[in-house]
Amino acid sequence: MLNDDVNEKLTLETIPTIAPSHRFQWEEVQDCHVILYPEGMVKLGNSSAEILKLCDGENDVSAIINKLQQLYPDAELDNDVNKFLEVAHENGWIKYK
Amino acid sequence: MKTAGSNTNKVNPPLWLLCELTYACPLQCPYCSNPVEMANFKKELSTDDWIRVMREARKMGATQLGFSGGEPLTRPDLEELIAEARQLGFYTNLITSGLGMDEKRVAAFKKAGLDHIQVSFQASSADLNDLIAGTDAFEHKLEMARAVKKHGYPMVLCFVLHRQNEPYVREILDLAVTLDADYVELATTQYYGWAFHNKDYLIPTREQLANAELVTKEFQEKLKGKMKIFYVIPDYFEDRPKKCMDGWGAIFLTITPDGLALPCHAARQLPGLELPSVQDHSIDWIWNDSPDFNKFRGLDWMKDPCRTCPEKEKDLGGCRCQAFMLTGDATNADPVCSKSPHHQKVVDTVEDIGRIAGTPELEERPVLFRNMKNSKEIIKKKTTETI
């Protein structure tokens, strides 16, 4: 099944990782990061890509927020990061480890 | 030379490269989209040719790569091609019947970097599956589907739907659940290639479709987030055409086994195309500058009713192959559209089938299975007609 943890809730301790069926990579011609999956592709905006770069199986959600906060000290990130991760999870791009 | 469509708009790069590696196939499905004259095109591109094609398309920005056919497993260099494709950064899809594969090969593909395997089934039971495939295939397909999952691939199961298997959509989706599919494509038969010859055998009834839609919806809700089920209504039953291939020369680039570049895998049959070969031209020239890829690009080629239609950008006039097959002119509106003066033909076909479905008059009509012998006979018949 695509997503066996579909009902799992996101917490600060969740460690999100790119789903094994998906690939996250930089595309020179498109000039953006993309998510690739069976027979499809999604182009990502900068902030989405910054979050996904940190979904490496090491960082939990609070570490992701902290690291992004260092890059963007003035931004209020908590909500945006949580929301994006939930959408990414719903779409099957990431797994909650 | 006028480059229609590209004179004002920048041409976007291809995103999808479909490598039809061969027309050889152990199956004989009567809805195959390969050309019925396939026996005339036995020459296949070499490994080096394919590698060059992949490199050039990747450089232009293509990200998705499909290996199909025919049955791509008949190519002994498939492992090598997969490795090259993955190293170039493609997301690699193998579109297969499963015949010609064993678990060892499934593992070897994984090692080479294959991202995804799509396994086709003809039906949910051995009897019907093997009748449609024209060979004993069902048990092996089950085994291969299990091997695909065991080796950690995402798996798409593809079922081509038509009147013979449409009543079993529930059983088909149950099978997909049992096999732990990630995605299911309930792909309605498109009436090109062999399917066009076998329309009488394939076109479903309205009642079958209504039931299939209900069952699919039920499974989609039940499996939300767990399994993605794609279901598209057959366009003969619609009154607006599909945006075929997302537009001519917009996203898709198909290369045939013998090296011709096509904007869609059914386009080989269209008259007036020059059919550029990758052995004579670069992919860049073919995509951006060739007359073929500009022929129906954008909106400039249209005539009425499309030219003045407010929905023209939405469906781009529908399918060029369907327009040609049903009206004799590829620049006409797709007759699936109710604004087409030829639409009645589509309506009549569906109604005729509905009226006589289930009776010997329809069900006992001969079926033309897809194989080289039948292909040769069709070619012979056509040649005799021309003389």
Side-chain angles (χ1 to χ4, degrees):
Chain A
M1 295 277 167
L2 201 56
N3 223 347
D4 40 23
D5 60 356
V6 67
N7 294 319
E8 220 171 290
K9 291 272 169 280
L10 186 76
T11 70
L12 282 175
E13 286 80 44
T14 304
I15 302 176
T17 56
I18 306 291
S21 54
H22 288 55
R23 286 233 312 272
F24 168 64
Q25 67 186 33
W26 171 256
E27 280 299 311
E28 196 65 45
V29 176
Q30 310 289 341
D31 195 26
C32 66
H33 278 87
V34 299
I35 289 265
L36 296 167
Y37 51 92
E39 299 172 33
M41 174 175 94
V42 178
K43 294 188 198 178
L44 298 164
N46 276 340
S47 46
S48 308
E50 290 300 332
I51 300 172
L52 284 176
K53 276 186 206 167
L54 295 168
C55 296
D56 56 1
E58 304 275 320
N59 299 304
D60 64 11
V61 174
S62 72
I64 291 174
I65 293 171
N66 283 337
K67 285 181 182 173
L68 288 171
Q69 201 73 68
Q70 284 166 22
L71 291 173
Y72 309 100
D74 300 330
E76 294 215 15
L77 291 167
D78 299 29
N79 235 337
D80 290 353
V81 171
N82 278 316
K83 256 193 205 152
F84 173 77
L85 288 175
E86 276 167 6
V87 171
H89 184 248
E90 221 176 88
N91 286 324
W93 303 345
I94 55 170
K95 293 251 175 216
Y96 294 165
K97 204 171 146 188
Chain B
M1 184 188 73
K2 184 177 177 274
T3 51
S6 63
N7 37 14
T8 46
N9 304 324
K10 191 181 148 278
V11 176
N12 289 320
L15 290 181
W16 241 109
L17 173 65
L18 184 69
C19 300
E20 292 186 330
L21 296 180
T22 178
Y23 285 138
C25 184
L27 269 61
Q28 308 183 47
C29 308
Y31 49 73
C32 184
S33 64
N34 287 162
V36 287
E37 300 90 352
M38 62 189 187
N40 269 348
F41 318 127
K42 285 244 170 113
K43 210 174 143 258
E44 291 184 2
L45 287 184
S46 68
T47 310
D48 287 349
D49 285 332
W50 281 117
I51 288 177
R52 185 174 50 79
V53 166
M54 293 193 294
R55 281 187 187 150
E56 289 183 25
R58 178 70 188 131
K59 203 173 155 204
M60 289 174 72
T63 54
Q64 290 283 342
L65 183 139
F67 292 113
S68 78
E71 175 49 71
L73 294 170
T74 62
R75 288 278 300 213
D77 57 354
L78 187 54
E79 284 81 346
E80 190 181 345
L81 295 176
I82 289 169
E84 176 69 19
R86 177 60 192 263
Q87 183 260 323
L88 288 168
F90 278 110
Y91 192 90
T92 49
N93 307 274
L94 174 62
I95 299 156
T96 177
S97 71
L99 269 73
M101 202 153 69
D102 54 18
E103 197 177 332
K104 216 171 116 195
R105 214 168 176 203
V106 175
F109 292 153
K110 187 86 193 174
K111 208 172 151 208
L114 182 63
D115 289 295
H116 149 236
I117 301 185
Q118 183 195 110
V119 185
S120 70
F121 276 81
Q122 282 63 45
S124 56
S125 70
D127 285 352
L128 187 55
N129 187 92
D130 297 348
L131 176 75
I132 295 166
T135 184
D136 286 352
F138 189 69
E139 289 304 326
H140 187 70
K141 282 168 181 282
L142 292 179
E143 206 182 303
M144 285 306 102
R146 290 187 200 111
V148 167
K149 288 299 295 189
K150 187 178 154 191
H151 287 268
Y153 293 97
M155 180 169 73
V156 177
L157 291 188
C158 177
F159 295 86
V160 175
L161 294 186
H162 44 75
R163 193 169 74 256
Q164 312 303 323
N165 62 9
E166 194 101 36
Y168 307 105
V169 168
R170 180 174 296 280
E171 289 79 357
I172 283 172
L173 288 170
D174 278 337
L175 176 66
V177 172
T178 309
L179 291 173
D180 200 15
D182 301 291
Y183 306 78
V184 181
E185 278 181 25
L186 298 175
T188 293
T189 310
Q190 309 268 339
Y191 303 105
Y192 316 124
W194 296 83
F196 189 70
H197 283 259
N198 289 308
K199 271 204 280 194
D200 290 352
Y201 180 71
L202 299 168
I203 290 179
T205 65
R206 281 194 191 279
E207 294 72 31
Q208 286 182 334
L209 281 186
N211 174 59
E213 249 181 290
L214 269 181
V215 174
T216 306
K217 227 174 153 187
E218 178 195 320
F219 275 78
Q220 280 169 332
E221 277 163 24
K222 196 166 72 182
L223 298 167
K224 198 168 177 247
K226 294 182 179 173
M227 193 166 95
K228 275 192 189 151
I229 305 171
F230 301 100
Y231 175 79
V232 186
I233 303 179
D235 57 6
Y236 270 40
F237 293 80
E238 303 264 45
D239 54 14
R240 285 291 178 275
K242 60 183 177 282
K243 188 182 183 184
C244 199
M245 306 312 285
D246 270 319
W248 182 273
I251 289 176
F252 284 91
L253 170 63
T254 297
I255 310 296
T256 66
D258 49 339
L260 305 185
L262 302 171
C264 124
H265 53 278
R268 186 169 195 151
Q269 61 179 317
L270 291 178
L273 291 184
E274 294 175 16
L275 303 173
S277 166
V278 298
Q279 288 176 310
D280 305 325
H281 302 282
S282 71
I283 300 294
D284 192 294
W285 181 85
I286 287 170
W287 183 261
N288 289 307
D289 301 318
S290 73
D292 279 13
F293 278 74
N294 285 298
K295 202 174 174 91
F296 303 113
R297 202 172 242 159
L299 307 166
D300 294 354
W301 58 272
M302 290 177 178
K303 50 188 195 185
D304 281 330
C306 296
R307 196 174 57 84
T308 49
C309 178
E311 296 167 76
K312 66 180 172 184
E313 301 203 23
K314 201 171 141 199
D315 54 43
L316 298 172
C319 169
R320 295 307 87 225
C321 299
Q322 199 144 269
F324 167 67
M325 285 186 297
L326 296 178
T327 76
D329 180 350
T331 63
N332 277 335
D334 184 336
V336 161
C337 186
S338 62
K339 295 182 184 182
S340 154
H342 304 273
H343 180 63
Q344 195 56 38
K345 209 169 170 177
V346 176
V347 175
D348 290 347
T349 305
V350 168
E351 277 179 10
D352 286 349
I353 295 286
R355 202 168 31 78
I356 55 173
T359 66
E361 183 198 344
L362 181 64
E363 306 299 344
E364 285 170 16
R365 283 182 198 171
V367 184
L368 188 75
F369 281 93
R370 173 228 190 266
N371 56 45
M372 288 299 171
K373 184 173 156 273
N374 282 339
S375 176
K376 278 178 200 153
E377 267 167 34
I378 288 173
I379 294 163
K380 210 167 119 194
K381 215 171 133 199
K382 282 199 177 169
T383 321
T384 330
E385 277 165 13
T386 340
I387 294 166

